[in-house]
Amino acid sequence: MDHRIHQLSSQALPLSQAKKQSGLQEHISFKDVLQDVQTVKLSKHASERLNERGITINEHGWKQITAKMAEARQKGVTDSLVMIKDAALLVSTKNNTVVTAMDRKEASSKVFTNINGAIVIDE
C-alpha cells in the first residue's frame, strides 16, 4: 500500500465530525423537537414569586411557554425573557427552568440584563 494513501485515510474524519466541522447542521425532525419539549421546571425562587404575586398560568399557557423555550433553545438562546399576558418570566432555556417571575405591571419599568433572547406570547 502506498504510504500517501495511508496518511490520508488516517486523517479522515468520520462523517458526523466532518459535518460539524464544516458548519452543516444536521436535520432535526419534528419528533426530536417534541422530545426536547419537556415540562418546564420552576426554581424555588420562581415558585415563591409566582405564589407571592398571585400569578397563575394554566396548562395551555405552560405548554406554549415550553414549546417556545424549546424553539428558542434550537436557535441558540440560552437565557430569555418570556412575556405573556399577565406575567414576565426570566427563563434559562439551556436548563429548561423558570428563574424568576413578575406581573406585567411590575415588569413594565424594569431593565432586563443577561438575556440573549425574548419570547412574546399574546394568547
Side-chain angles (χ1 to χ4, degrees):
M1 179 180 342
D2 187 6
H3 74 285
R4 289 174 291 172
I5 295 173
H6 180 64
Q7 288 175 344
L8 290 176
S9 66
S10 67
Q11 293 176 354
L13 295 172
L15 184 57
S16 62
Q17 287 181 343
K19 282 183 181 180
K20 290 177 186 175
Q21 287 189 352
S22 67
L24 296 175
Q25 293 184 358
E26 295 180 29
H27 176 71
I28 300 171
S29 71
F30 184 67
K31 182 180 177 183
D32 293 337
V33 172
L34 284 178
Q35 287 177 344
D36 196 27
V37 175
Q38 303 166 359
T39 54
V40 175
K41 295 173 270 186
L42 287 175
S43 70
K44 182 179 177 183
H45 179 79
S47 182
E48 290 171 358
R49 295 299 170 262
L50 287 169
N51 287 333
E52 287 172 3
R53 294 171 173 138
I55 300 169
T56 57
I57 301 172
N58 63 25
E59 184 178 344
H60 176 69
W62 282 118
K63 285 181 181 178
Q64 286 183 306
I65 292 166
T66 303
K68 290 297 181 181
M69 284 176 64
E71 185 180 333
R73 183 174 37 260
Q74 292 294 324
K75 293 181 179 188
V77 175
T78 56
D79 299 292
S80 182
L81 171 67
V82 177
M83 300 293 288
I84 58 175
K85 183 179 178 184
D86 297 323
L89 311 172
L90 286 172
V91 301
S92 168
T93 57
K94 180 173 57 175
N95 300 326
N96 213 34
T97 303
V98 177
V99 178
T100 193
M102 61 193 75
D103 62 31
R104 283 294 290 261
K105 288 181 184 180
E106 184 180 4
S108 67
S109 62
K110 299 284 185 206
V111 174
F112 297 95
T113 60
N114 298 327
I115 62 170
N116 64 347
I119 300 168
V120 179
I121 301 173
D122 284 332
E123 294 181 11

